């Protein structure tokens, strides 16, 4: 069929081996219309500008029913100033992956409509009780909520008995992330808080009688919160004694990684118009905010910017975890390269300075969309509202060229990828289990986009499903070093908190380019055990259970 599209001369040359057909380049196809569901990201948009409205639309990709297929969950807003989900237009949404390219709305059956839990923002997914089923934490304005997965397709609100729901009145919680900070095998929870806000205390800003969203500088900072998992479904608020209360901010994205390679998980929080925080885990139950001395608090001009989404991965394959965070137009997206004892601010060196200034980024992620072994940069974009002429924006994909620089390949990503709007939350996961990572993105007052990666470029891959037996079951915090048969070394780790208000597929993905054979896979589990696999074939999903320490 392809030869029929060529000229006769070209076809003859092809038959003679003079022309090699270039493989198709991966792009994204929006398959949302194939499925019947009514969810839109409803932030209750109106001429009355409430401060919380631009921050709706959290999304999670996870397998809630353990059938091997990734499902999708969306949070939603509420009617203002009532702070109530008045009718289905504001309900949250759980979509079950049917495995045929379509998704079924099972929200009501699962008990996740959220009728009584207010204006919801971020979502964090994790198996906090190690029963083999993923649980859901939702935060926002008003009440934060913990749902326990019952293992039969339903969820139960266990907020009150868990001890995780209590927070100071009026605190606006934007994002959250599960991780095991004390390596006891139980997932703890960190929540990024922004400010103290209610509809009744909302500030009003206007020009010539037209309202606009007030600057974050009109609102005070809030302390981020840390909850320690005590087991048996109970949590203790350890914000004060852990050191988290000493560094308040206006928290947006959260990224979890062992940045200093000492065996304990650290926490980066992107703060809007405030210095970013990097809470270094001291291994004794306490943290210290080392954002300033480590070089990630400010940009290169020593200024705090509108940090939004964040992700932490090793973009240059040197074995150290780097940090990326995006921000609003006119600013420069921040890429911090981990040098071991400090982070170097490198947007100019890798060409991000020119690429990012016209854009307002919200969710952000490292994603190896073409499976070449280099983690590319994705951003979900769109400004605050329609005040600026180019406020509606399309998403961007910046391709990683050997860890040295990034180039904008957004125009090659397909029409669905390039839909303009006010994009907010995004999550990454392999929705059709073909070895190429897909995207799910929310947009204010629109249907989300389920963007399937076309693949087709011939590059190889490996995806690991790690199961903790002594460490937490999700293996969050496990570090993986992969060495190909040709000697190429790649790194990744288990962390589902990516971007803004969102949670991604927990499976660990590696693009391998043209290589089909893996010489070794070295896994360091959160509790310290090290495990090595030898001579592994590419292009498979490989389940690995934690072995005991020798």
């Amino acid at each position: 069929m392809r030869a029929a599209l060529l000229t006769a001369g070209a076809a003859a040359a092809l038959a003679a081996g003079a022309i090699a057909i270039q493989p198709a380049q991966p792009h994204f196809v929006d398959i949302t219309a194939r499925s019947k569901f009514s969810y839109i990201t409803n932030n209750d948009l109106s001429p009355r500008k409430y401060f919380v409205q631009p921050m709706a639309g959290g999304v999670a990709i996870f397998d809630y029913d353990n059938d091997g297929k990734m499902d999708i969950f969306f949070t939603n807003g509420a009617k203002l100033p009532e702070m109530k989900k008045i009718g289905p237009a504001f309900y949250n949404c759980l979509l079950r992956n049917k495995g045929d390219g379509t998704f079924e709305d099972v929200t009501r059956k699962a008990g996740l409509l959220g009728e009584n839990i207010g204006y919801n923002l971020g979502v964090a997914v994790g198996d906090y009780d190690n029963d083999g089923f993923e649980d859901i934490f939702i935060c926002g304005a008003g009440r934060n909520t913990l749902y326990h997965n019952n293992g039969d397709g339903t969820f139960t609100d266990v907020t009150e008995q868990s001890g995780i729901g209590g927070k100071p009145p009026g605190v606006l919680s934007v994002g959250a992330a599960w991780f095991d900070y004390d390596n006891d095998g139980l997932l703890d929870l960190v929540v990024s808080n922004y400010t103290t806000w209610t509809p009744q205390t909302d500030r009003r800003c206007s020009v010539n009688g037209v309202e606009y969203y007030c600057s974050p500088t009109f609102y005070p900072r809030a302390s981020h919160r840390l909850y320690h998992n005590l087991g048996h479904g109970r949590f203790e608020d350890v914000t004060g004694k852990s050191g988290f209360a000493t560094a308040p901010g206006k928290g947006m994205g959260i990224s979890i990684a062992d940045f200093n390679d000492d065996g304990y998980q650290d926490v980066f929080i992107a703060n809007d118009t405030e210095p970013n925080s990097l809470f270094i885990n001291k291994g004794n139950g306490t943290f210290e905010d080392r954002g300033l001395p480590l070089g990630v608090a400010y940009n290169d001009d020593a200024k705090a910017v509108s940090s939004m989404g964040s992700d932490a991965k090793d973009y240059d394959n040197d074995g150290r975890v780097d940090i990326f965070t995006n921000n609003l137009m006119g600013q420069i997206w921040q890429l911090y390269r981990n040098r071991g004892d400090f982070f170097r601010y490198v947007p100019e060196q890798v060409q991000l300075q020119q690429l990012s200034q016209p854009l307002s980024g919200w969710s952000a992620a490292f994603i190896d969309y073409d499976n070449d072994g280099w983690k590319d940069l994705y951003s979900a974009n769109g400004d605050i509202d329609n005040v600026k002429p180019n406020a509606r924006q399309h998403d961007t994909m910046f391709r990683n060229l050997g860890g040295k620089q990034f180039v904008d390949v957004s125009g090659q990503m397909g029409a669905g990828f390039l839909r303009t709007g006010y994009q907010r939350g995004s999550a990454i996961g392999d929705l059709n289990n073909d070895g190429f990572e897909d995207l799910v993105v929310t947009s204010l007052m629109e249907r989300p986009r389920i963007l399937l990666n076309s693949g087709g470029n011939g590059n190889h891959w490996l995806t690991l499903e790690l199961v903790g037996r002594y460490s937490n079951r999700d293996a969050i915090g496990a570090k993986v070093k992969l060495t190909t048969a040709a000697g190429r070394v790649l790194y990744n780790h288990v962390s589902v908190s990516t971007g803004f208000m969102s949670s991604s597929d927990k499976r660990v993905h590696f693009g391998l380019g043209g290589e089909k054979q893996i010489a070794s896979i070295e896994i360091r589990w959160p509790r310290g055990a090290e495990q090595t696999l030898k001579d592994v074939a590419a292009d498979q999903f490989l389940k690995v259970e934690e072995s005991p320490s020798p």
Side-chain angles (χ1 to χ4, degrees):
M1 294 296 291
R2 184 182 294 269
L5 300 176
L6 302 174
T7 66
L14 176 62
I19 297 177
I21 295 178
Q22 295 299 313
Q25 291 303 305
H27 59 279
F28 292 87
V29 178
D30 187 356
I31 63 167
T32 311
R34 302 177 188 175
S35 302
K36 295 180 180 180
F37 61 91
S38 60
Y39 171 87
I40 67 167
T41 302
N42 193 338
N43 66 339
D44 196 28
L45 183 66
S46 68
R48 172 68 173 94
K49 303 292 188 181
Y50 287 97
F51 183 73
V52 72
Q53 287 170 327
M55 294 189 280
V59 54
I61 294 177
F62 70 115
D63 184 5
Y64 86 95
D65 54 358
N66 287 352
D67 67 352
K69 299 183 289 290
M70 292 294 116
D71 311 299
I72 307 171
F73 178 77
F74 302 101
T75 68
N76 216 343
K79 188 68 177 173
L80 296 170
E82 296 88 346
M83 293 275 285
K84 293 181 178 180
K85 293 187 184 297
I86 299 175
F90 293 102
Y91 288 164
N92 298 329
C93 180
L94 177 64
L95 299 181
R96 179 179 175 270
N97 190 336
K98 297 173 68 176
D100 59 359
T102 66
F103 293 80
E104 174 190 7
D105 188 339
V106 295
T107 318
R108 184 176 295 277
K109 187 190 323 183
L112 291 174
L113 295 175
E115 305 105 307
N116 302 312
I117 62 173
Y119 203 108
N120 303 145
L121 300 177
V123 54
V125 170
D127 183 3
Y128 73 84
D129 58 353
N130 291 330
D131 67 351
F133 291 91
E134 301 296 314
D135 310 300
I136 300 175
F137 177 80
I138 300 173
C139 57
R143 183 180 189 258
N144 293 342
T145 305
L146 179 63
Y147 285 105
H148 179 257
N149 188 332
N150 300 318
D152 59 0
T154 69
F155 292 78
T156 299
D157 182 344
V158 295
T159 310
E160 296 307 317
Q161 56 264 47
S162 73
I164 216 167
K167 64 176 180 177
V171 167
L172 178 62
S173 300
V174 174
W178 295 100
F179 74 124
D180 184 3
Y181 76 82
D182 55 354
N183 290 341
D184 65 351
L186 299 171
L187 288 179
D188 312 298
L189 184 73
V190 58
V191 180
S192 64
N193 290 327
Y194 193 105
T195 189
T196 301
W197 177 91
T198 67
Q200 291 70 38
T201 61
D202 187 69
R203 302 289 298 269
R204 303 187 75 165
C205 298
S206 63
V207 174
N208 298 324
V210 178
E211 288 201 18
Y212 62 92
Y213 293 112
C214 293
S215 166
T217 58
F218 281 75
Y219 292 91
R221 300 176 297 172
S223 294
H224 311 303
R225 305 202 79 78
L226 181 65
Y227 297 91
H228 179 225
N229 191 336
L230 302 175
H232 306 290
R234 294 287 302 170
F235 292 81
E236 176 190 6
D237 187 338
V238 294
T239 304
K241 64 183 181 182
S242 68
F244 266 76
T246 64
K250 294 177 181 175
M252 301 290 266
I254 303 178
S255 296
I256 307 292
D258 181 3
F259 292 105
N260 57 2
D261 202 30
D262 66 351
Y264 290 93
Q265 298 294 292
D266 310 304
V267 180
F268 173 83
I269 298 182
N271 287 313
D272 185 6
T273 70
E274 297 283 342
N276 299 321
S277 291
L278 180 50
F279 292 96
I280 295 297
N281 190 334
K282 299 169 72 174
N284 60 0
T286 68
F287 292 77
E288 180 183 2
D289 182 6
R290 301 275 296 165
L292 179 58
L294 291 177
V296 300
Y298 299 99
N299 66 13
D300 221 22
D301 295 324
K303 294 180 179 178
V305 294
S306 301
S307 298
M308 297 292 189
S310 68
D311 197 9
K313 296 287 191 302
D314 181 5
Y315 81 90
D316 55 355
N317 290 332
D318 67 352
R320 294 185 289 262
V321 181
D322 312 298
I323 297 173
F324 173 68
T325 180
N326 55 14
N327 45 49
L328 300 183
M329 67 174 72
Q331 302 173 2
I332 298 169
W333 294 353
Q334 301 160 98
L335 180 62
Y336 300 100
R337 186 183 179 211
N338 190 340
R339 301 291 292 164
D341 56 350
F342 73 101
F343 288 79
R344 185 183 176 197
Y345 181 83
V346 296
E348 185 174 1
Q349 291 89 327
V350 299
Q351 311 303 314
L352 278 182
Q353 187 168 14
Q354 308 90 297
L355 295 174
S356 65
Q357 269 193 316
L359 301 166
S360 288
W362 289 78
S363 201
F366 288 104
I367 171 176
D368 185 2
Y369 80 94
D370 56 357
N371 279 350
D372 67 350
W374 297 101
K375 300 175 185 69
D376 312 297
L377 281 176
Y378 164 79
S379 179
N381 304 322
D383 206 53
I384 303 296
D385 58 15
N386 61 0
V387 173
K388 298 176 183 176
N390 54 344
R392 290 184 64 91
Q393 299 178 359
H394 63 70
D395 295 347
T396 45
M397 185 71 75
F398 296 159
R399 189 182 181 206
N400 184 342
L401 300 183
K404 303 298 183 184
Q405 72 175 85
F406 292 87
V407 296
D408 189 349
V409 295
S410 309
Q412 305 170 24
M413 294 296 100
F417 185 93
L418 292 172
R419 189 185 82 182
T420 61
Y422 301 98
Q423 274 68 250
R424 290 304 184 255
S426 70
I428 298 170
D430 191 346
L431 298 173
N432 58 352
N433 289 335
D434 68 346
F436 284 81
E437 295 182 291
D438 310 304
L439 288 162
V440 180
V441 191
T442 61
S443 302
L444 297 181
M445 298 309 298
E446 295 186 88
R447 293 191 93 196
R449 285 170 298 149
I450 303 172
L451 296 170
L452 213 61
N453 190 330
S454 68
N457 67 350
N459 281 347
H460 300 282
W461 53 275
L462 179 76
T463 299
L464 298 174
E465 181 185 353
L466 301 185
V467 181
R469 294 301 183 195
Y470 310 92
S471 304
N472 67 87
R473 187 179 177 87
D474 283 347
I476 290 175
K479 305 185 78 167
V480 183
K481 176 183 177 182
L482 182 151
T483 304
T484 69
R488 188 181 185 190
V489 181
L490 305 172
Y491 299 88
N492 211 335
H493 64 277
V494 182
S495 178
V496 299
S497 177
T498 58
F500 174 65
M501 305 189 302
S502 299
S503 185
S504 289
D505 187 344
K506 68 179 180 179
R507 297 176 296 184
V508 182
H509 177 83
F510 288 94
L512 300 173
E515 299 196 52
K516 299 181 180 180
Q517 194 65 30
I518 299 155
S520 67
I521 300 171
E522 301 169 53
I523 304 168
R524 190 174 81 185
W525 297 88
R527 298 195 76 172
E530 296 183 358
Q531 194 169 345
T532 302
L533 309 177
K534 298 285 189 180
D535 300 321
V536 177
D539 302 328
Q540 64 167 315
F541 289 87
L542 182 61
K543 186 174 182 178
V544 182
E545 295 192 1
E546 181 180 14
S547 64
S549 299

